[in-house]
Amino acid sequence: MPEAIDKVFKETEEHYTKAIRDLEHQFTTLRTGRANPGLLEGVRVEAYGSAMGISGVASVNAPDAHHLVITPWDKTLLGAIERGILAANIGITPVNDGQVVRLSFPQMTEETRKEITKKAHEMAEKHRVGIRNSRRHAKEAIDALPKLKGKNAVEISEDEIKRAHDKLQKLTDSYIKKVDDVLAKKEKEIMTI
């Protein structure tokens, strides 16, 4: 295939890979049956005049499957951490004992598991749509190649364009399947008691 088509494929595959990584990252913020420090990634703490991520002001440990312990590097930030967790609305009330902030995660109900699974499906669908949009942009870029003029002109046959479209669809299908696989793994994690 011509170099111009290879370039389109390389860029498209980078978009697809970023979409998968982003989905996996977003899934870390979903609650499962276990306490996971990733749940606190979206928590912002007002410290030293600016909003910071919780990992910028404290260490987060999971001593067991149902507890997280947040140990601030500066004890004066305990209240700010507590307020940040409450503001993030993750569904857990923090307990400040003057040294650390503790979070206790109760067993999830069947209803809660189904709600979280529904949220995971919505996240996955958003990423599928993003992958399809990248495919559409790549298809448009491939279709535009024969129309280029001047020094950017590319000699490309209709057969090569057709093969590129087929290859693009196969690549897209493989990444949509990866989204489905990541979703199935997360769904299993959420539904496991």
Side-chain angles (χ1 to χ4, degrees):
M1 278 193 195
E3 188 178 311
I5 290 178
D6 288 339
K7 183 179 177 196
V8 169
F9 272 101
K10 185 177 183 217
E11 289 172 4
T12 303
E13 193 159 12
E14 284 175 14
H15 286 278
Y16 290 177
T17 303
K18 284 179 187 173
I20 298 295
R21 274 198 309 255
D22 184 58
L23 179 62
E24 290 170 338
H25 176 71
Q26 284 187 10
F27 277 175
T28 63
T29 65
L30 290 179
R31 187 168 163 211
T32 61
R34 303 180 56 81
N36 176 0
L39 290 169
L40 301 177
E41 262 186 39
V43 174
R44 308 300 290 167
V45 176
E46 284 295 324
Y48 311 116
S50 66
M52 305 173 81
I54 204 157
S55 62
V57 295
S59 65
V60 181
N61 298 310
D64 59 51
H66 296 287
H67 296 91
L68 287 179
V69 177
I70 304 157
T71 309
W73 296 313
D74 179 356
K75 300 289 185 224
T76 62
L77 295 176
L78 281 167
I81 291 170
E82 195 173 1
R83 286 188 297 280
I85 292 169
L86 289 170
N89 198 21
I90 59 173
I92 303 295
T93 304
V95 176
N96 176 350
D97 70 3
Q99 297 295 314
V100 296
V101 175
R102 296 180 196 285
L103 300 177
S104 293
F105 294 84
Q107 266 312 78
M108 289 194 305
T109 64
E110 187 69 23
E111 186 179 317
T112 306
R113 289 177 191 281
K114 286 180 181 177
E115 262 315 296
I116 294 171
T117 301
K118 183 178 174 185
K119 198 171 181 181
H121 279 270
E122 290 169 2
M123 288 176 170
E125 184 56 30
K126 240 165 97 174
H127 285 78
R128 283 188 205 102
V129 168
I131 287 172
R132 290 185 194 116
N133 285 339
S134 292
R135 177 197 62 202
R136 182 174 40 84
H137 293 304
K139 188 176 182 305
E140 290 169 358
I142 291 168
D143 290 343
L145 288 174
K147 298 172 187 141
L148 295 175
K149 305 281 188 232
K151 66 178 183 176
N152 295 329
V154 176
E155 279 292 318
I156 187 166
S157 70
E158 286 183 31
D159 288 342
E160 286 176 315
I161 289 175
K162 172 77 172 108
R163 279 193 295 274
H165 286 177
D166 292 343
K167 182 179 175 185
L168 179 62
Q169 187 59 50
K170 285 179 183 161
L171 182 66
T172 303
D173 292 343
S174 73
Y175 276 87
I176 294 289
K177 184 177 179 342
K178 286 181 184 181
V179 168
D180 294 340
D181 293 345
V182 170
L183 173 62
K185 181 181 172 193
K186 188 62 175 185
E187 195 171 1
K188 182 180 178 193
E189 212 176 287
I190 293 167
M191 296 308 278
T192 302
I193 297 175

